Amino acid sequence: MGSSKVIHAFYNDDEVLLDAVKTVKAAHHHIEEVFCPFPVHGLDKAMGLAPTRIAIAAFMYGITGLSVAIWMTNYMMIQDWPQDIGGKPSFSWFENMPAFVPIIFELTVFFAAHLMVITFYMRSKIWPFRKAENPDPRTTDDHFLMEIPVHNNEEELTALLAKTGAVEINVVEKH
């Protein structure tokens, strides 16, 4: 994979960045990525990103956890090792279900939470021991960076970004 040029436009205010993203998108330029020190409300909509489907995944993972919990409590406490607890034997899952509610709840939450984290890491390609791809350390402190690919329009993009309130504009080679 060869290298290509990108423009890094730095901003020091989230509202200025949001307006700049809207201006750049209105001029029909593609924004590769925006690096921020904190989440900026409305940035995903301004960039035209598709809504996330993590809520659907979380629901499916929760249903999986619920199913595992019901199967597990039925198998362990009713089928495999039924017990006479407190002199009141009850050998049906439905009669014992109130005692299983904490287990069912915890496994539902456990599956949803852990599988959502794994899904997030897989979708964002963040793997253990992977080197960070942050182009400038200032984006973890107080600056916002908009990265735009250059396609023989460097002067036009630089002029547009200067009008949007960028505090610094750099053209760099991206490898």
Side-chain angles (χ1 to χ4, degrees):
M1 187 169 153
S3 60
S4 58
K5 283 186 175 182
V6 292
I7 290 185
H8 286 170
F10 290 88
Y11 298 87
N12 56 10
D13 183 73
D14 58 330
E15 292 297 325
V16 175
L17 168 77
L18 198 54
D19 291 339
V21 166
K22 291 174 184 174
T23 302
V24 169
K25 290 302 278 186
H28 305 293
H29 294 291
H30 172 69
I31 299 172
E32 187 68 31
E33 188 64 79
V34 176
F35 297 88
C36 303
F38 55 84
V40 177
H41 181 68
L43 184 59
D44 53 343
K45 185 178 177 189
M47 287 180 65
L49 300 177
T52 179
R53 295 185 302 265
I54 195 77
I56 297 167
F59 179 75
M60 298 306 291
Y61 297 152
I63 293 295
T64 303
L66 176 72
S67 302
V68 168
I70 290 171
W71 171 82
M72 186 183 81
T73 53
N74 182 56
Y75 177 75
M76 288 179 180
M77 299 299 291
I78 305 301
Q79 293 176 2
D80 186 44
W81 198 278
Q83 298 178 40
D84 179 349
I85 298 173
K88 298 179 182 178
S90 178
F91 301 118
S92 78
W93 186 87
F94 188 73
E95 289 175 308
N96 284 318
M97 193 266 297
F100 299 149
V101 167
I103 295 161
I104 293 169
F105 173 77
E106 290 297 333
L107 276 181
T108 301
V109 172
F110 179 87
F111 270 66
H114 285 79
L115 292 175
M116 277 183 6
V117 168
I118 292 167
T119 301
F120 170 76
Y121 284 150
M122 289 173 62
R123 289 286 296 145
S124 61
K125 296 180 177 78
I126 298 175
W127 308 110
F129 311 111
R130 181 165 184 215
K131 186 179 180 294
E133 294 182 9
N134 191 353
D136 193 293
R138 292 178 290 175
T139 60
T140 63
D141 186 22
D142 61 351
H143 278 71
F144 304 84
L145 184 146
M146 186 188 326
E147 184 176 275
I148 305 169
V150 175
H151 303 291
N152 297 323
N153 57 352
E154 187 177 320
E155 293 82 16
E156 175 195 349
L157 276 172
T158 306
L160 176 66
L161 292 168
K163 289 181 200 170
T164 63
V167 294
E168 182 180 328
I169 301 171
N170 300 324
V171 179
V172 296
E173 292 287 328
K174 185 171 183 175
H175 300 283

